[in-house]
């Protein structure tokens, strides 16, 4: 069956030995056991040196332990079949190896994973139970059995086994994550929240970044303060991992997934105040494609819009900019926009200073409605622009609020004061693009007709 001696013992070195130490020890042993006098010992020395002097072979050897040479071809064939998705074939190779060497727990572990990949969850569960019985203090096997019970929907057994795994290794973030996600998959949100808080109390600031991501996702709508704390931790962890001071490192693809996964959460108004953290995370990416850059710019504009009222701008500007940033061209929203424009023109003395400030301090927001803003600032006849908006509202039988102007309906002037407020209606009809045919049936483009 071949030698089962540990290659490190054969060469008389430690597992931490450097390539130079391996080479020096090998040639020293060869002088002690020359091949012409000690052929069997030399074979062992040569096999040990060939394996440990090769970086990839050594890593594979360290992972699998001192495996008998006779089973290595079977093991490699099993792994190759697994890589090709031929899990049933791979399982036969592993089963053959275990018949020859039932003591190889590492191979049995691979066999269990292969059975799961092949959909044989019942058989896989039996293998994990065997391993847990043989090695009751192995936290990894305890976790694998918990996950196996979970897949079989053996709820009570799964919970007990998760707790057993955590008793064996409380500091492992991956174990906590698996337990939390199990409860989330079962829609047990209160239980997931409880386990999440226990995890944070246990691992503190030493957890991995994905534990804090999971916590943020869970608590975003349940505990805003805790969610923001975790977002700060995610940002700090990401910076450490990118700079090399944190472990493991964080590659570009993983960071991109984190950034744009989190961005989904802040696209809504409720969490828009968290955008600055996402912006800092995005700044760690070495490159961003055009679509991603535009998505970030859209959210940043929304963030700035939500804060301009705090900077002394009125609600009127907030409403104009929100509408323009969301590119809503529905009839009802356009009518509301027309009414807002009318108010800005009518109360020129009040709003023009703010408009000038907007142009100077927030040029990217000013550009959202640049044509109208430029016209409003440069016109010497605001009343003319106001009459145009009265006409547009009259087509829809709507009226500007508190108007003191002459109303226009079907092109006829009437001396009448319109006091009814503007109707603000949420869009129910499909969105109409500026260059689409007008829904009124005129045959004109929307921007040349009702969207004018």
């Amino acid at each position: 069956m071949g030698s089962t001696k540990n290659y490190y013992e054969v060469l008389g070195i430690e597992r931490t030995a450097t390539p130079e130490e391996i080479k020096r020890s090998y040639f020293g042993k060869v002088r002690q056991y020359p091949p012409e006098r000690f052929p069997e010992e030399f074979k062992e020395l040569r096999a040990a040196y060939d394996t440990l002097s090769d970086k990839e072979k050594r890593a594979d050897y360290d992972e699998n332990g001192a495996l008998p040479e006779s089973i290595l071809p079977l093991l490699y064939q099993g792994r190759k079949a697994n890589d090709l998705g031929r899990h049933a074939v791979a399982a036969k190779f592993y089963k053959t190896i275990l018949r020859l060497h039932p003591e190889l727990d590492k191979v049995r572990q691979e066999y269990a994973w292969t059975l799961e990949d092949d959909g044989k969850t019942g058989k896989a569960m039996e293998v994990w139970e065997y391993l847990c019985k043989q090695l009751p203090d192995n936290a990894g096997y305890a976790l694998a059995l918990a996950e196996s019970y979970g897949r079989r929907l053996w709820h009570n057994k799964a919970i007990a086994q998760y707790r057993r795994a955590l008793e064996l290794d409380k500091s492992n973030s991956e174990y906590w994550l698996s337990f939390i996600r199990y409860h989330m998959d079962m829609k047990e949100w209160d239980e997931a929240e409880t386990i999440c808080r226990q995890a944070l109390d246990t691992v503190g600031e030493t957890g991995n970044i994905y534990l804090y991501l999971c916590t943020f996702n869970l608590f975003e709508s349940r505990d805003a303060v805790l969610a923001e704390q975790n977002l700060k931790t995610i940002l700090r962890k990401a910076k450490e991992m990118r700079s090399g001071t944190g472990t493991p490192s964080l590659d570009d693809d993983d960071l991109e997934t984190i950034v744009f996964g989190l961005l989904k959460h802040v696209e809504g108004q409720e969490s828009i105040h968290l955008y600055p953290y996402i912006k800092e995370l995005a700044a760690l990416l070495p490159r961003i494609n055009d679509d991603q850059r535009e998505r970030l710019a859209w959210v940043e504009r929304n963030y700035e819009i939500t804060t301009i009222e705090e900077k002394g701008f009125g609600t009127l500007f907030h409403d104009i900019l929100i509408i323009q940033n969301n590119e809503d061209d529905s009839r009802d929203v356009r009518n509301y926009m027309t009414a807002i424009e009318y108010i800005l023109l009518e109360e020129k003395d009040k709003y023009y200073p703010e408009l000038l400030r907007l142009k100077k301090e927030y040029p990217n927001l000013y550009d959202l409605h640049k044509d109208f803003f430029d016209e409003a600032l440069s016109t010497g006849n605001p009343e003319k622009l106001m009459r145009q908006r009265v006409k547009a509202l009259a087509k829809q039988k709507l009226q500007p609020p508190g108007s003191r102007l002459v109303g226009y309906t079907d092109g006829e002037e009437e001396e009448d004061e319109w006091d009814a407020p503007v109707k603000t209606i949420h869009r129910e009809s499909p969105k109409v693009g500026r260059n689409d045919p007008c829904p009124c049936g005129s045959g004109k483009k929307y921007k040349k007709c009702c969207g004018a």
Side-chain angles (χ1 to χ4, degrees), residues 27 53 62 87 93 112 187-188 236 243 275 287 289 394 446:
F27 284 110
S53 62
D62 288 343
H87 305 303
F93 282 110
K187 311 299 182 187
E188 297 173 345
R236 179 177 59 77
S243 67
Y275 172 73
R287 55 190 172 275
N289 65 42
Y446 178 67

Side-chain angles (χ1 to χ4, degrees), residues 80-100:
K80 184 177 180 180
N82 255 336
D83 291 340
L84 294 172
R86 301 170 63 189
H87 305 303
V89 174
K92 290 180 181 179
F93 282 110
Y94 288 122
K95 199 170 182 180
T96 300
I97 294 171
L98 290 169
R99 263 201 312 269
L100 296 171

